[in-house]
Amino acid sequence: MPSILNICTGIVKLLKHFKWTWVGIIAPDDDSSQRFVQILKEGIEQNGACIEFIEIISHINNWSQERFDKINETIHKSSTNVIIAHFNNEITISLFWELRIFNIPGMIFITITEAEFYLSYQVENSFKNNTLLFTRIKKTIPSFLKFIREVNPILFPDYIAIEDWWLGLCSNQCPQTIKRSCSIDEDGSGMFHCDNTHFANSYDVYNAVYALAHALKDMLFSGSGNTTTWNGDRQRLSDYLPWKLHRYLKNVHFKNSLGEEIYFDENGDQATDYNIINLIHLPNGTLKHEIVGSYKPSALSGEDFTIDEKMIVWEASFTQTPPQSRCTQNCAPGFRKLPREGKPVCCYDCIPCPAGHISNQTDMENCIRCPEDQWPNEKRDVCIPKIIIFLSHEESLGIILMLISIFFFLITAVILGIFINYRETPIVRSNNRNLSYILLVSLMLCFLCSLIFIGHPEKVTCILRQTAFGITFSISLSSVLAKTITVIMAFQTTKPGSKLRKWMGSRVSYSIVLSFSLLQVLFCLVWLGTAPPFPHHNTQTEDGTIQIECNEGSIIAFYCVLGYLGFLAGISFIVAFLARNLPDSFNEAKYITFSMLVFCSVWVSFIPTYLSTRGKYMVAVEIFAILASSAGILGCIFIPKCYIILLRPDRNNRNYITKNKLSNFSEY
């Protein structure tokens, strides 16, 4: 008998080679077949494959038609394309015909049997090429063919089968090496043994007989069979206890006539090699046995199993060669397996990998997380570098903001040039020209500091961004506040007995600008000393990108700087609003009021917008707020004066100012 363990291992290797993970099993209910099913089931499951059904055929009930119909129904309704059948010699051919295995399309049968198959078939049966047969390697015994030819009924008068065998050698199906030349009277034997294929049975019987003979010899000459000695005449073989033969049979080791070593392993199995045979039904009615592979249990790992796929003839109905047998299709890279509840492990759904994960092989149990600086490609089977994003000088948004900043810087520079050129005119002198110079220079710096926000964030630029903006803007707002306070004090000094006259002078204005600006500088120094801004690679905001941005370090310090600017703007707005009743010929207080209103509106809308954006758009929002608020101050305070200086020079003289009661607002 072939080794059940070895042949199960060979079948598992065949399934693994073709990636058949969804199979069915059919076997009779004898002890050998049941052990085969148990060992095969364990081997299949250990290799990650699954069994859809196991059908056991009982020979006690004489193979009832009802039972065969049920098995046929199971086979046809199953989703597997591979069925493994283990048959003993007595029932193999009958089961093949009853189950109509050769007629089932789209099915692969792996059969383990030592039975004999006919070498021909009726073409009208339309048999399918769907069977792979595991059988021991057939070897020719020396002088065996001579023995077959010389078997004569005369030598065995008591055995009727010998005469049938003798007459069967007259068949034209017999090869010339054993065919007899027979007379007409000798034809007609009912034993057509030349119509069948004979596998390794004769060779196995030959080895079995010799193994038994060697065991008997060892036992008889060991002296352990009986207390008496062997004399060859009176001592009978039956006097020896038969069960003692087993020990000698287990330890037998000899070379047969082919020079092969015959012995049994620890499981009592003979070291046997196996052929994998493809049963091919040829169009001319011939059944061809094509050896397509082999399994040699005693060979080295990797050399024990061989298969030649090109030699296998698959049934034409298979849409894919080699055919597949799976409960579900493979999960392609980019997907992972999700087991179905209550189903075998081979039955699963394929779901895409979650964000930030990939699978680079088929049928992966779990997806792999990409590194922090990488992200899955569109198919989610490879991690690729994330796109680095920041507000660049080269992109359209960055270029537009740069051009706007430079444009307003140039406009401010032109206005400063106009004020310097017309510094002796009443309209410039009456508006505290030195404060105007400071305000214009600080606005120029505000427009320039917005350029620091554009480009790759570095440690230095991150520190300069907010501090430069906060300090320059505090100088601008302090100058506006000083101009507003100076205007009110100038009007108040015109009243008789006013005590503010002694406070009038440029030192008061400079003190206001310097003190309020230094306070902002103090805030910035504390900020830089405790938690300064730094470059930060934000990988969480947007999938597939790395947002390079400046982390503010201390968010409290950041909002303290902004809050202080809001405080200055609010004070300037309130003071300017209180001066709204000044004579109409001096409208700077009204312009300052409107400019602070624009400033506050911009920055109030900036905060929620700033908090709701990320990355380069957050930077763009802050640049826009800086430009808009600076442009608001520039436009509201200085454009009307430039209009008078350049387009209405008739208003820019002392007579006009005196006529309109402006003589009291000359520079102090």
Side-chain angles (χ1 to χ4, degrees):
M1 290 293 292
S3 168
I4 293 177
L5 178 60
N6 288 340
I7 206 165
C8 288
T9 305
I11 293 173
V12 170
K13 287 181 177 291
L14 178 67
L15 298 178
K16 191 173 182 180
H17 174 82
F18 286 110
K19 299 179 181 179
W20 293 334
T21 59
W22 190 235
V23 301
I25 299 177
I26 302 175
D29 62 352
D30 58 84
D31 292 341
S32 175
S33 298
Q34 292 300 300
R35 184 165 177 259
F36 165 82
V37 171
Q38 179 183 358
I39 295 175
L40 181 62
K41 181 174 182 291
E42 292 175 358
I44 289 174
E45 292 176 348
Q46 286 175 2
N47 282 270
C50 302
I51 300 172
E52 183 179 10
F53 65 85
I54 298 177
E55 287 288 349
I56 304 299
I57 303 172
S58 175
H59 60 276
I60 299 176
N61 58 8
N62 295 324
W63 312 337
S64 65
Q65 188 60 43
E66 181 181 355
R67 179 62 177 147
F68 280 118
D69 291 342
K70 184 178 183 303
I71 295 175
N72 264 318
E73 182 181 358
T74 300
I75 293 174
H76 284 84
K77 286 186 176 181
S78 68
S79 59
T80 179
N81 292 330
V82 175
I83 294 179
I84 304 169
H86 182 271
F87 300 134
N88 55 40
N89 293 348
E90 290 77 16
I91 67 173
T92 298
I93 297 298
S94 299
L95 286 175
F96 261 75
W97 285 102
E98 289 291 342
L99 297 176
R100 300 175 183 176
I101 286 178
F102 288 142
N103 298 91
I104 302 177
M107 195 72 69
I108 303 165
F109 285 90
I110 302 173
T111 307
I112 300 91
T113 183
E114 296 300 325
E116 300 170 351
F117 287 84
Y118 291 113
L119 295 173
S120 61
Y121 71 99
Q122 295 179 355
V123 178
E124 56 269 17
N125 287 332
S126 301
F127 289 151
K128 311 298 181 184
N129 297 321
N130 60 358
T131 304
L132 294 175
L133 180 64
F134 266 82
T135 184
R136 285 171 288 180
I137 294 177
K138 178 181 178 181
K139 297 181 180 179
T140 303
I141 305 169
S143 304
F144 184 64
L145 297 180
K146 180 176 179 293
F147 169 77
I148 292 176
R149 290 195 304 270
E150 294 177 355
V151 171
N152 196 304
I154 298 174
L155 302 176
F156 306 95
D158 296 332
Y159 293 94
I160 301 176
I162 295 297
E163 184 176 357
D164 290 337
W165 175 273
W166 179 258
L167 295 175
L169 295 177
C170 299
S171 173
N172 292 328
Q173 296 290 337
C174 294
Q176 294 299 319
T177 53
I178 63 173
K179 187 177 182 300
R180 293 176 54 242
S181 298
C182 305
S183 63
I184 299 177
D185 296 336
E186 290 181 311
D187 291 339
S189 170
M191 183 178 289
F192 300 104
H193 44 262
C194 290
D195 290 345
N196 297 342
T197 179
H198 300 274
F199 294 119
N201 294 348
S202 300
Y203 183 67
D204 291 335
V205 173
Y206 173 81
N207 287 331
V209 171
Y210 270 89
L212 183 61
H214 278 273
L216 285 171
K217 177 184 176 183
D218 294 341
M219 185 179 71
L220 292 174
F221 288 96
S222 67
S224 61
N226 204 321
T227 55
T228 61
T229 58
W230 174 265
N231 56 25
D233 296 328
R234 291 172 296 176
Q235 194 72 34
R236 293 178 302 173
L237 184 62
S238 59
D239 292 337
Y240 287 84
L241 298 177
W243 56 268
K244 289 188 177 182
L245 179 64
H246 181 268
R247 178 165 62 93
Y248 296 95
L249 188 62
K250 183 178 181 181
N251 295 324
V252 76
H253 197 146
F254 65 95
K255 285 187 178 182
N256 62 13
S257 57
L258 293 179
E260 293 186 350
E261 292 190 3
I262 305 300
Y263 62 93
F264 300 99
D265 60 19
E266 63 275 6
N267 298 317
D269 295 320
Q270 183 185 347
T272 305
D273 296 338
Y274 299 89
N275 277 332
I276 303 173
I277 296 175
N278 183 204
L279 299 183
I280 304 172
H281 296 87
L282 300 177
N284 61 2
T286 303
L287 180 61
K288 182 180 179 182
H289 302 78
E290 186 71 48
I291 299 176
V292 296
S294 65
Y295 174 59
K296 300 177 180 179
S298 58
L300 296 176
S301 179
E303 300 176 0
D304 53 350
F305 179 83
T306 58
I307 189 100
D308 189 349
E309 296 184 20
K310 297 179 181 179
M311 294 184 65
I312 302 177
V313 178
W314 301 107
E315 182 200 340
S317 63
F318 288 122
T319 57
Q320 182 180 355
T321 56
Q324 298 296 308
S325 182
R326 305 179 62 88
C327 181
T328 54
Q329 293 300 317
N330 288 1
C331 288
F335 294 81
R336 72 171 181 89
K337 296 194 295 186
L338 178 66
R340 295 176 183 172
E341 188 175 355
K343 296 291 184 180
V345 294
C346 301
C347 301
Y348 48 81
D349 295 317
C350 297
I351 60 172
C353 288
H357 294 70
I358 65 161
S359 63
N360 52 13
Q361 298 177 5
T362 58
D363 289 338
M364 289 190 66
E365 300 285 346
N366 298 293
C367 296
I368 305 170
R369 178 183 290 276
C370 288
E372 283 293 323
D373 59 344
Q374 293 184 350
W375 188 255
N377 62 350
E378 186 176 353
K379 295 182 179 179
R380 298 191 178 185
D381 57 358
V382 175
C383 290
I384 57 176
K386 288 184 176 181
I387 301 173
I388 297 177
I389 294 180
F390 58 90
L391 188 58
S392 171
H393 299 96
E394 300 173 355
E395 61 178 297
S396 56
L397 180 60
I399 294 174
I400 291 173
L401 292 175
M402 285 176 59
L403 293 176
I404 294 175
S405 300
I406 295 173
F407 172 76
F408 279 112
F409 170 79
L410 296 176
I411 292 295
T412 309
V414 170
I415 294 175
L416 178 61
I418 293 173
F419 267 60
I420 293 175
N421 188 47
Y422 293 92
R423 60 184 177 278
E424 299 300 334
T425 60
I427 194 68
V428 175
R429 297 188 63 198
S430 63
N431 287 281
N432 200 329
R433 65 186 175 192
N434 289 335
L435 282 180
S436 297
Y437 296 158
I438 295 174
L439 179 57
L440 286 171
V441 171
S442 63
L443 287 176
M444 290 173 63
L445 295 176
C446 287
F447 289 125
L448 287 179
C449 77
S450 63
L451 298 177
I452 306 176
F453 288 79
I454 304 173
H456 191 287
E458 303 290 347
K459 184 176 181 179
V460 174
T461 56
C462 286
I463 292 175
L464 289 178
R465 279 184 181 184
Q466 305 298 347
T467 54
F469 152 69
I471 293 173
T472 55
F473 239 113
S474 65
I475 295 174
S476 300
L477 293 175
S478 299
S479 301
V480 172
L481 179 60
K483 287 174 70 68
T484 308
I485 293 176
T486 301
V487 169
I488 294 177
M489 291 177 63
F491 273 102
Q492 292 297 325
T493 56
T494 60
K495 297 179 180 179
S498 176
K499 298 180 180 181
L500 294 176
R501 187 180 298 275
K502 63 180 179 178
W503 293 99
M504 291 301 297
S506 59
R507 286 183 298 177
V508 174
S509 303
Y510 298 151
S511 299
I512 294 174
V513 174
L514 184 62
S515 59
F516 282 105
S517 300
L518 286 177
L519 187 57
Q520 181 73 300
V521 171
L522 179 63
F523 285 147
C524 291
L525 290 176
V526 172
W527 182 7
L528 296 180
T530 55
F534 59 91
H536 172 62
H537 288 200
N538 189 342
T539 59
Q540 306 298 326
T541 302
E542 185 178 348
D543 292 343
T545 64
I546 298 178
Q547 305 276 357
I548 303 181
E549 55 193 24
C550 287
N551 188 300
E552 307 304 344
S554 172
I555 197 68
I556 296 176
F558 172 68
Y559 283 110
C560 283
V561 170
L562 289 184
Y564 182 70
L565 295 179
F567 169 76
L568 291 179
I571 294 297
S572 299
F573 174 77
I574 293 172
V575 173
F577 181 76
L578 294 176
R580 68 188 184 279
N581 294 323
L582 295 177
D584 292 340
S585 56
F586 185 81
N587 292 320
E588 190 171 35
K590 295 182 179 179
Y591 297 144
I592 292 175
T593 303
F594 190 69
S595 68
M596 291 300 99
L597 186 62
V598 172
F599 179 90
C600 293
S601 300
V602 169
W603 285 98
V604 167
S605 61
F606 158 78
I607 293 176
T609 308
Y610 182 82
L611 294 175
S612 62
T613 55
R614 288 292 181 271
K616 64 179 183 180
Y617 297 106
M618 180 175 66
V619 177
V621 167
E622 187 169 0
I623 293 175
F624 175 79
I626 294 172
L627 296 178
S629 55
S630 300
I633 295 174
L634 180 68
C636 294
I637 296 178
F638 292 101
I639 294 299
K641 295 178 177 58
C642 290
Y643 171 76
I644 294 175
I645 292 172
L646 299 177
L647 301 179
R648 299 297 298 272
D650 55 307
R651 295 185 180 182
N652 190 14
N653 57 73
R654 182 170 296 275
N655 293 332
Y656 181 82
I657 294 176
T658 303
K659 181 180 178 182
N660 289 278
K661 301 179 181 180
L662 293 176
S663 58
N664 293 323
F665 301 100
S666 58
E667 185 175 29
Y668 291 91

